[in-house]
Amino acid sequence: MGASDPEVAPWARRGVAGMAGAGAGAGARGGAAAGVEARARDPPPAHRAHPRHPRPAAQPSARRMDSASGGLGSGDNTPTTEALFVALGAGVTALSHPLLYVKLLIQVGHEPMPPTIGTNVLGRKVLYLPSFFTYAKYIVQVDGKIGLFRGLSPRLMSNALSTVTRGSMKKVFPPDEMEQVSNKDDMKTSLKKVVKETSYEMMMQCVSRMLAHPLHVISMRCMVQFVGREAKYSGVLSSIGKIFKEEGLLGFFVGLIPHLLGDVVFLWGCNLLAHFINAYLVDDSFSQALAIRSYTKFVMGIAVSMLTYPFLLVGDLMAVNNCGLQAGMPPYSPVFKSWIHCWKYLSMQGQLFRGSSLLFRRVSSGSCFALE
């Protein structure tokens, strides 16, 4: 939904995108998934037109006009609307940054504080690792409150670039008008509508992800410098120069493939599951059908984002692996040959969901910590 910008949880970003357009720059996947089946829902006419008085030509609804112009208003104030999207996305990104910062440090395996003994629901003693609040307090003790926002600047730029890219693509490639999917459609027709919408959202998400990924890599590396107390990546321009000099052009796109795969799996999984539930299990005659459908997409966003978390984890680890920082070198991490090598290593260690929980973090059975 992890530390990528994608990096607010996808279902949370979906909510932001519902208010302000695409968030993923903030990214994301959730905002893209929320767009399916949300277009062109005009209410039916209140009564049938009299035969002697022909019905006036249908005018495009405000929502359709907004969709075509890429904003919340007419095409005349599109730049203002786009600026509003960017500003709102920047605010959400800044507020959520400490959360994603702590998550990234946990993802790379940095555990500076020992676990504490607690009890589970059965009353048995278990070891718990520090929660987000304890970890954040530790960062404040080391770097001060400003330390919680390490790596924020390139992340803001990444999310802004992603938002602008999606808005520009909607202008250049405006989405086709889609009829609302309902259980009255036959399976072939309704599925075709969802596939067309999802394909369009996937194209926008993949392009915005590729363009913003270099800044995402810089943001990740700035944050993990906390582990070794390095200062190799201190600014966006200087970081661009270092990466290009040491790793070439490909250095800006390390970890891109698992992120793209995660985005694609999330979009198709969330949209198809929500479609089958909304179209075939929720009857249009039910008074609360619209409310149930909105909650269905929300729940599907949470469920699918949990299943695609390993792609996010692998992508973030590859972004910092073998880049000259302690967090990407042994003993914190082996030097991976590819993202598939990283995936297999984490799978064998039972760590494919490392960092997915920030509140109740139990020590895994394969951990070096032992309960006395």
Side-chain angles (χ1 to χ4, degrees), residues 98-354:
L99 179 70
L100 302 179
Y101 182 22
V102 171
K103 178 185 284 289
L104 179 62
L105 294 179
I106 295 174
Q107 285 179 333
V108 300
H110 185 54
E111 299 291 351
M113 293 168 287
T116 57
I117 300 177
T119 56
N120 58 15
V121 293
L122 299 178
R124 297 178 181 176
K125 290 185 178 181
V126 293
L127 288 176
Y128 287 100
L129 292 168
S131 66
F132 160 74
F133 300 101
T134 305
Y135 210 127
K137 184 177 179 180
Y138 172 78
I139 294 176
V140 172
Q141 292 174 349
V142 176
D143 283 344
K145 293 181 180 180
I146 194 66
L148 289 172
F149 298 93
R150 181 194 293 260
L152 176 60
S153 296
R155 186 161 170 258
L156 287 173
M157 297 172 64
S158 173
N159 290 353
L161 178 59
S162 179
T163 301
V164 172
T165 300
R166 293 174 67 89
S168 300
M169 290 187 64
K170 285 183 179 180
K171 298 174 187 175
V172 178
F173 305 102
D176 295 333
E177 292 296 335
M178 288 289 178
E179 298 179 5
Q180 179 180 354
V181 176
S182 70
N183 58 0
K184 296 179 180 179
D185 294 321
D186 60 79
M187 181 174 293
K188 184 176 180 180
T189 301
S190 60
L191 185 59
K192 184 178 179 181
K193 296 175 184 178
V194 175
V195 168
K196 190 172 183 179
E197 282 273 332
T198 306
S199 299
Y200 178 79
E201 295 292 343
M202 181 183 67
M203 176 192 68
M204 289 199 303
Q205 177 62 22
C206 289
V207 172
S208 63
R209 169 72 74 176
M210 287 188 290
L211 292 179
H213 192 74
L215 291 168
H216 172 70
V217 171
I218 294 174
S219 178
M220 297 293 102
R221 295 185 180 184
C222 287
M223 287 188 274
V224 299
Q225 289 182 135
F226 177 84
V227 176
R229 311 306 298 163
E230 298 109 335
K232 181 178 180 180
Y233 300 94
S234 56
V236 175
L237 294 179
S238 61
S239 298
I240 292 175
K242 286 185 176 67
I243 294 176
F244 185 78
K245 182 179 179 180
E246 297 177 2
E247 305 172 50
L249 189 61
L250 294 179
F252 295 104
F253 298 96
V254 288
L256 175 61
I257 294 179
H259 274 300
L260 287 176
L261 290 176
D263 290 343
V264 171
V265 172
F266 176 87
L267 277 173
W268 285 99
C270 181
N271 292 343
L272 289 177
L273 286 174
H275 160 68
F276 286 119
I277 293 175
N278 291 340
Y280 304 113
L281 297 183
V282 182
D283 196 285
D284 286 341
S285 62
F286 186 57
S287 60
Q288 300 297 323
L290 290 179
I292 292 177
R293 283 176 176 142
S294 64
Y295 280 110
T296 299
K297 294 192 72 65
F298 179 77
V299 174
M300 289 302 100
I302 297 176
V304 178
S305 67
M306 293 175 61
L307 295 176
T308 57
Y309 179 81
F311 290 100
L312 176 67
L313 174 62
V314 172
D316 288 343
L317 291 182
M318 291 303 298
V320 301
N321 189 251
N322 196 27
C323 65
L325 299 177
Q326 185 176 334
M329 305 289 290
Y332 282 97
S333 171
V335 175
F336 299 116
K337 299 178 182 178
S338 66
W339 72 270
I340 298 178
H341 179 204
C342 178
W343 184 292
K344 291 181 178 179
Y345 173 82
L346 293 174
S347 180
M348 290 191 324
Q349 298 293 323
Q351 297 290 314
L352 274 176
F353 291 88
R354 183 171 66 193

